[in-house]
Amino acid sequence: AVNGLKTGHTTSAGYVLVGTRTRSRVTLVSIVLGTPSTTARDQDSLALLQWGDGLYRQIVPVTGGTVVARPEIEFRRGASVPLVTARSVRRTVRADAKITTRDVGVPETVTGPIGRNQRLAHREVLADGKPIARVPIVSRYFVPEAARRVRRGPPRRRTPSQEPEAA
């Protein structure tokens, strides 16, 4: 079904129709100029919209909150923090487009402090090798600074058994 249109007629332009149709979240626009009758105008516009239906598709290549990596937190044995995509992305692409994603700058280890939702990297979406979207990759949780153990009191004295042997 057509959801928008503008008709017109002039002697020099003939019968004119600008029509739109939305299917599966993809909106197409047809523009027909110079037809000899309203019937021809309507048929040509419908043919254009039907032809365009198969050319494009709507995709969601990135879903927000998807875990991308779990880098280890330095100075915290066995601890890691999930890194997630910050938001979802929806795009309209050619139906035959090859869609790929790549994560750029994802660290293997992190050191606090890191804020919740702090950007640490990004995910690129490519259609036929060309960038069409870029989404931040963020920390899901706050990571505090690692606490350092500080010895209090006077420095330890070495006992004779801890002294290096003289040569």
Side-chain angles (χ1 to χ4, degrees):
V2 174
N3 60 1
L5 60 100
K6 170 66 176 121
T7 62
H9 177 267
T10 65
T11 304
S12 58
Y15 289 92
V16 176
L17 174 64
V18 177
T20 63
R21 175 169 72 191
T22 302
R23 276 197 181 157
S24 303
R25 295 184 162 214
V26 175
T27 299
L28 298 175
V29 177
S30 69
I31 301 172
V32 176
L33 307 168
T35 57
S37 68
T38 58
T39 302
R41 173 198 71 192
D42 295 347
Q43 288 174 345
D44 288 353
S45 183
L46 185 57
L48 276 172
L49 291 170
Q50 288 172 340
W51 172 76
D53 277 341
L55 294 180
Y56 296 93
R57 63 187 166 117
Q58 182 87 183
I59 61 169
V60 181
V62 179
T63 302
T66 301
V67 176
V68 171
R70 294 180 187 275
E72 291 183 12
I73 302 170
E74 286 191 38
F75 311 115
R76 296 196 180 157
R77 191 178 3 213
S80 65
V81 62
L83 303 184
V84 298
T85 51
R87 60 183 163 76
S88 296
V89 169
R90 181 183 309 272
R91 292 290 185 267
T92 300
V93 297
R94 297 275 313 206
D96 60 351
K98 180 181 178 200
I99 305 302
T100 55
T101 60
R102 67 178 172 205
D103 296 334
V104 179
V106 176
E108 290 183 21
T109 61
V110 295
T111 304
I114 296 174
R116 182 176 187 273
N117 293 325
Q118 180 176 327
R119 180 183 173 179
L120 298 173
H122 68 272
R123 175 169 281 184
E124 289 182 343
V125 180
L126 303 106
D128 295 327
K130 295 179 183 176
I132 60 170
R134 186 175 172 154
V135 177
I137 294 173
V138 299
S139 171
R140 179 172 276 170
Y141 305 116
F142 169 74
V143 176
E145 184 174 11
R148 294 184 181 143
R149 290 190 176 161
V150 177
R151 180 158 163 48
R152 296 178 195 255
R156 282 192 196 173
R157 295 188 157 216
R158 289 186 173 171
T159 61
S161 62
Q162 293 174 325
E163 293 292 328
E165 291 183 27

